[in-house]
Amino acid sequence: MNETKNKYQIEYENSTSLFWEAKPAKFVSYFVKEVPLDFNDLNVLDLGAGEGKNSVYLANLGANVTAVDVSDIALSRFALQPNYTKCAAKIKQIQADIRTVNFSPFHFDVIIAYGVFHCFSHKQEIYSIIQKIKSWTKTDGYFIGLTFTDKIPPPEVQDYLDIEAFLKENELQSLFSDWHIIASENDIITETHSTSKIQHQHSLTRLIAKK
Ligand SMILES: C[S@@+](CC[C@H](N)C(=O)[O-])C[C@H]1O[C@@H](n2cnc3c(N)ncnc32)[C@H](O)[C@@H]1O
């Protein structure tokens, strides 16, 4: 396995434009449609924000977004998201490893971790950051997440991913069993990235929970 510090950096280095689709993620769109919130000046933390598709979407709804990603290339591509310039002042970028960052307790209304936990080296790191996420979330605040599960091992084309950091199906839901589960699903996706062009599958789980 490739032990690079940032497991998607190779994909960013090998692409010249947006690597991920520019539209917000499935459960982020669902959250905005189904949960009646005024996003104006809500504090949102986007962990492993990537190229900013979720951060820019929520900042355009008025949220103050703190976007953390370890990749300088990913963060530089926020500017390529549609409507970025309209909301740039609402976004604070932090280039850092999310396992090392810290925030004040009860600071965020919404915390997103979409596709980042499976980039860790071991599940213990996921358990540890979830405890921190719970402490950083305001009472009545929300968590929106997606992570890979071990039903399907990492595909050969992404051998930089480590199955040691893949949760069991429904494990993410169990880790939030002390919160109210608003929506959750296990899924299998088939995708082809612009870099390798090799079709592959991932098993994953999505969750929206309220503190
Ligand atoms: C699968 S991508 C998802 C990006 C974005 N959340 C989205 O939904 O499009 C995972 C992102 O997490 C970042 N990442 C991986 N490990 C990280 C870590 N330990 N700390 C911060 N960011 C990390 C990668 O650079 C990458 O941009």
Short mmCIF file of all heavy atoms in Angstrom, two decimals, residues 177-208:
data_model
loop_
_atom_site.label_atom_id
_atom_site.label_comp_id
_atom_site.label_asym_id
_atom_site.label_seq_id
_atom_site.Cartn_x
_atom_site.Cartn_y
_atom_site.Cartn_z
N SER A 177 -25.25 6.66 17.89
CA SER A 177 -26.50 6.13 18.46
C SER A 177 -27.01 7.01 19.61
O SER A 177 -28.18 6.92 19.99
CB SER A 177 -26.33 4.69 18.92
OG SER A 177 -25.33 4.64 19.89
N ASP A 178 -26.14 7.86 20.17
CA ASP A 178 -26.60 8.78 21.22
C ASP A 178 -27.17 10.07 20.61
O ASP A 178 -27.55 10.98 21.34
CB ASP A 178 -25.45 9.10 22.20
CG ASP A 178 -24.19 9.58 21.49
OD1 ASP A 178 -24.01 9.31 20.28
OD2 ASP A 178 -23.38 10.26 22.14
N TRP A 179 -27.20 10.19 19.28
CA TRP A 179 -27.82 11.31 18.58
C TRP A 179 -29.10 10.81 17.89
O TRP A 179 -29.32 9.61 17.80
CB TRP A 179 -26.87 11.89 17.52
CG TRP A 179 -25.70 12.67 18.06
CD1 TRP A 179 -25.06 12.51 19.26
CD2 TRP A 179 -25.01 13.74 17.39
NE1 TRP A 179 -24.02 13.40 19.37
CE2 TRP A 179 -23.96 14.17 18.24
CE3 TRP A 179 -25.15 14.36 16.15
CZ2 TRP A 179 -23.09 15.21 17.91
CZ3 TRP A 179 -24.28 15.39 15.80
CH2 TRP A 179 -23.27 15.81 16.68
N HIS A 180 -29.88 11.76 17.39
CA HIS A 180 -31.08 11.39 16.65
C HIS A 180 -30.70 11.17 15.17
O HIS A 180 -30.16 12.08 14.53
CB HIS A 180 -32.12 12.51 16.79
CG HIS A 180 -33.31 12.33 15.93
ND1 HIS A 180 -34.15 11.23 16.04
CD2 HIS A 180 -33.82 13.08 14.92
CE1 HIS A 180 -35.10 11.32 15.13
NE2 HIS A 180 -34.92 12.44 14.44
N ILE A 181 -30.94 9.96 14.66
CA ILE A 181 -30.60 9.67 13.24
C ILE A 181 -31.71 10.22 12.35
O ILE A 181 -32.86 9.79 12.44
CB ILE A 181 -30.43 8.15 13.00
CG1 ILE A 181 -29.43 7.53 13.99
CG2 ILE A 181 -30.05 7.88 11.54
CD1 ILE A 181 -27.98 7.87 13.82
N ILE A 182 -31.36 11.14 11.48
CA ILE A 182 -32.36 11.74 10.57
C ILE A 182 -32.44 10.95 9.26
O ILE A 182 -33.52 10.74 8.72
CB ILE A 182 -31.98 13.20 10.29
CG1 ILE A 182 -32.15 13.99 11.59
CG2 ILE A 182 -32.82 13.80 9.18
CD1 ILE A 182 -31.84 15.43 11.47
N ALA A 183 -31.31 10.52 8.77
CA ALA A 183 -31.29 9.72 7.54
C ALA A 183 -30.01 8.91 7.52
O ALA A 183 -28.95 9.39 7.96
CB ALA A 183 -31.35 10.62 6.31
N SER A 184 -30.11 7.68 7.01
CA SER A 184 -28.88 6.89 6.85
C SER A 184 -29.12 5.82 5.80
O SER A 184 -30.25 5.37 5.60
CB SER A 184 -28.45 6.26 8.17
OG SER A 184 -29.13 5.07 8.42
N GLU A 185 -28.04 5.44 5.13
CA GLU A 185 -28.15 4.37 4.13
C GLU A 185 -26.79 3.75 3.87
O GLU A 185 -25.76 4.42 3.98
CB GLU A 185 -28.75 4.90 2.81
CG GLU A 185 -27.87 5.88 2.07
CD GLU A 185 -28.53 6.43 0.80
OE1 GLU A 185 -29.71 6.18 0.55
OE2 GLU A 185 -27.81 7.14 0.06
N ASN A 186 -26.81 2.46 3.56
CA ASN A 186 -25.62 1.78 3.03
C ASN A 186 -25.82 1.70 1.52
O ASN A 186 -26.94 1.54 1.05
CB ASN A 186 -25.50 0.38 3.62
CG ASN A 186 -25.29 0.42 5.12
OD1 ASN A 186 -24.40 1.12 5.62
ND2 ASN A 186 -26.13 -0.29 5.86
N ASP A 187 -24.72 1.81 0.78
CA ASP A 187 -24.86 1.87 -0.67
C ASP A 187 -23.61 1.28 -1.33
O ASP A 187 -22.56 1.12 -0.68
CB ASP A 187 -25.01 3.36 -1.08
CG ASP A 187 -25.58 3.55 -2.49
OD1 ASP A 187 -25.93 2.55 -3.14
OD2 ASP A 187 -25.66 4.72 -2.93
N ILE A 188 -23.74 0.95 -2.60
CA ILE A 188 -22.57 0.57 -3.41
C ILE A 188 -22.57 1.47 -4.63
O ILE A 188 -23.61 1.61 -5.30
CB ILE A 188 -22.65 -0.91 -3.82
CG1 ILE A 188 -22.47 -1.79 -2.56
CG2 ILE A 188 -21.57 -1.25 -4.86
CD1 ILE A 188 -22.50 -3.27 -2.81
N ILE A 189 -21.45 2.14 -4.87
CA ILE A 189 -21.38 3.02 -6.04
C ILE A 189 -20.34 2.48 -7.03
O ILE A 189 -19.36 1.85 -6.63
CB ILE A 189 -21.03 4.49 -5.67
CG1 ILE A 189 -19.70 4.57 -4.89
CG2 ILE A 189 -22.15 5.14 -4.88
CD1 ILE A 189 -19.11 5.97 -4.86
N THR A 190 -20.61 2.76 -8.29
CA THR A 190 -19.67 2.41 -9.35
C THR A 190 -19.18 3.72 -9.94
O THR A 190 -20.01 4.58 -10.28
CB THR A 190 -20.38 1.57 -10.44
OG1 THR A 190 -20.94 0.41 -9.81
CG2 THR A 190 -19.41 1.15 -11.54
N GLU A 191 -17.89 3.91 -10.01
CA GLU A 191 -17.39 5.18 -10.55
C GLU A 191 -16.11 4.98 -11.35
O GLU A 191 -15.44 3.96 -11.24
CB GLU A 191 -17.20 6.23 -9.44
CG GLU A 191 -16.23 5.84 -8.37
CD GLU A 191 -16.13 6.88 -7.24
OE1 GLU A 191 -16.88 7.86 -7.22
OE2 GLU A 191 -15.25 6.70 -6.38
N THR A 192 -15.81 6.01 -12.14
CA THR A 192 -14.58 6.02 -12.94
C THR A 192 -13.97 7.41 -12.76
O THR A 192 -14.64 8.41 -13.00
CB THR A 192 -14.88 5.80 -14.44
OG1 THR A 192 -15.68 4.63 -14.56
CG2 THR A 192 -13.61 5.65 -15.25
N HIS A 193 -12.75 7.49 -12.29
CA HIS A 193 -12.12 8.80 -12.11
C HIS A 193 -11.40 9.23 -13.38
O HIS A 193 -10.89 8.38 -14.14
CB HIS A 193 -11.15 8.77 -10.93
CG HIS A 193 -11.83 8.48 -9.62
ND1 HIS A 193 -12.92 9.20 -9.18
CD2 HIS A 193 -11.59 7.55 -8.67
CE1 HIS A 193 -13.31 8.73 -8.02
NE2 HIS A 193 -12.54 7.72 -7.68
N SER A 194 -11.32 10.54 -13.58
CA SER A 194 -10.71 11.07 -14.80
C SER A 194 -9.23 10.72 -14.88
O SER A 194 -8.64 10.69 -15.96
CB SER A 194 -10.88 12.60 -14.83
OG SER A 194 -10.25 13.16 -13.69
N THR A 195 -8.61 10.43 -13.75
CA THR A 195 -7.17 10.17 -13.72
C THR A 195 -6.83 8.76 -14.23
O THR A 195 -6.09 8.60 -15.18
CB THR A 195 -6.63 10.36 -12.29
OG1 THR A 195 -7.58 9.77 -11.38
CG2 THR A 195 -6.44 11.81 -11.95
N SER A 196 -7.43 7.74 -13.62
CA SER A 196 -7.09 6.35 -14.01
C SER A 196 -7.98 5.83 -15.13
O SER A 196 -7.57 4.95 -15.88
CB SER A 196 -7.23 5.42 -12.81
OG SER A 196 -8.59 5.41 -12.41
N LYS A 197 -9.22 6.35 -15.17
CA LYS A 197 -10.22 5.90 -16.16
C LYS A 197 -10.58 4.42 -16.00
O LYS A 197 -11.08 3.79 -16.92
CB LYS A 197 -9.76 6.19 -17.59
CG LYS A 197 -9.55 7.68 -17.84
CD LYS A 197 -9.24 7.97 -19.30
CE LYS A 197 -9.24 9.45 -19.60
NZ LYS A 197 -8.32 10.26 -18.80
N ILE A 198 -10.35 3.85 -14.81
CA ILE A 198 -10.69 2.43 -14.58
C ILE A 198 -11.94 2.37 -13.69
O ILE A 198 -11.94 2.93 -12.57
CB ILE A 198 -9.52 1.68 -13.90
CG1 ILE A 198 -8.32 1.67 -14.85
CG2 ILE A 198 -9.93 0.27 -13.49
CD1 ILE A 198 -7.05 1.10 -14.25
N GLN A 199 -12.97 1.70 -14.21
CA GLN A 199 -14.22 1.62 -13.44
C GLN A 199 -14.00 0.73 -12.19
O GLN A 199 -13.35 -0.31 -12.28
CB GLN A 199 -15.32 1.02 -14.32
CG GLN A 199 -16.69 1.24 -13.74
CD GLN A 199 -17.78 0.63 -14.61
OE1 GLN A 199 -17.93 -0.59 -14.67
NE2 GLN A 199 -18.51 1.47 -15.30
N HIS A 200 -14.55 1.17 -11.06
CA HIS A 200 -14.41 0.40 -9.82
C HIS A 200 -15.61 0.67 -8.92
O HIS A 200 -16.40 1.58 -9.18
CB HIS A 200 -13.10 0.76 -9.12
CG HIS A 200 -12.98 2.23 -8.82
ND1 HIS A 200 -12.54 3.15 -9.75
CD2 HIS A 200 -13.29 2.95 -7.72
CE1 HIS A 200 -12.56 4.36 -9.22
NE2 HIS A 200 -13.03 4.27 -7.99
N GLN A 201 -15.70 -0.12 -7.84
CA GLN A 201 -16.84 0.03 -6.93
C GLN A 201 -16.38 0.32 -5.51
O GLN A 201 -15.29 -0.08 -5.11
CB GLN A 201 -17.66 -1.26 -6.92
CG GLN A 201 -18.45 -1.48 -8.19
CD GLN A 201 -19.49 -2.57 -8.03
OE1 GLN A 201 -19.18 -3.63 -7.51
NE2 GLN A 201 -20.71 -2.30 -8.46
N HIS A 202 -17.24 1.03 -4.76
CA HIS A 202 -17.02 1.24 -3.33
C HIS A 202 -18.30 0.90 -2.59
O HIS A 202 -19.40 1.28 -3.04
CB HIS A 202 -16.71 2.71 -3.03
CG HIS A 202 -15.45 3.23 -3.65
ND1 HIS A 202 -14.20 2.81 -3.26
CD2 HIS A 202 -15.26 4.15 -4.64
CE1 HIS A 202 -13.29 3.46 -3.98
NE2 HIS A 202 -13.88 4.27 -4.83
N SER A 203 -18.18 0.24 -1.44
CA SER A 203 -19.31 0.14 -0.51
C SER A 203 -19.16 1.29 0.48
O SER A 203 -18.04 1.62 0.89
CB SER A 203 -19.29 -1.20 0.21
OG SER A 203 -18.04 -1.42 0.82
N LEU A 204 -20.27 1.92 0.80
CA LEU A 204 -20.18 3.11 1.65
C LEU A 204 -21.43 3.28 2.49
O LEU A 204 -22.45 2.62 2.28
CB LEU A 204 -19.93 4.35 0.79
CG LEU A 204 -20.90 4.65 -0.35
CD1 LEU A 204 -22.15 5.36 0.12
CD2 LEU A 204 -20.20 5.49 -1.42
N THR A 205 -21.32 4.17 3.45
CA THR A 205 -22.46 4.49 4.28
C THR A 205 -22.59 6.00 4.39
O THR A 205 -21.59 6.72 4.40
CB THR A 205 -22.30 3.81 5.67
OG1 THR A 205 -23.51 3.87 6.37
CG2 THR A 205 -21.19 4.44 6.49
N ARG A 206 -23.86 6.47 4.38
CA ARG A 206 -24.13 7.91 4.51
C ARG A 206 -24.99 8.11 5.76
O ARG A 206 -25.83 7.28 6.08
CB ARG A 206 -24.92 8.45 3.30
CG ARG A 206 -24.23 8.27 1.97
CD ARG A 206 -25.04 8.93 0.84
NE ARG A 206 -24.40 8.73 -0.46
CZ ARG A 206 -24.67 7.70 -1.27
NH1 ARG A 206 -25.60 6.81 -0.94
NH2 ARG A 206 -24.04 7.58 -2.42
N LEU A 207 -24.79 9.27 6.40
CA LEU A 207 -25.52 9.53 7.65
C LEU A 207 -25.79 11.02 7.84
O LEU A 207 -24.93 11.85 7.56
CB LEU A 207 -24.67 9.03 8.84
CG LEU A 207 -25.22 9.32 10.23
CD1 LEU A 207 -26.44 8.45 10.54
CD2 LEU A 207 -24.14 9.07 11.30
N ILE A 208 -27.01 11.33 8.32
CA ILE A 208 -27.30 12.66 8.87
C ILE A 208 -27.83 12.42 10.27
O ILE A 208 -28.76 11.63 10.48
CB ILE A 208 -28.36 13.41 8.05
CG1 ILE A 208 -27.90 13.60 6.61
CG2 ILE A 208 -28.67 14.77 8.70
CD1 ILE A 208 -28.96 14.24 5.69
#
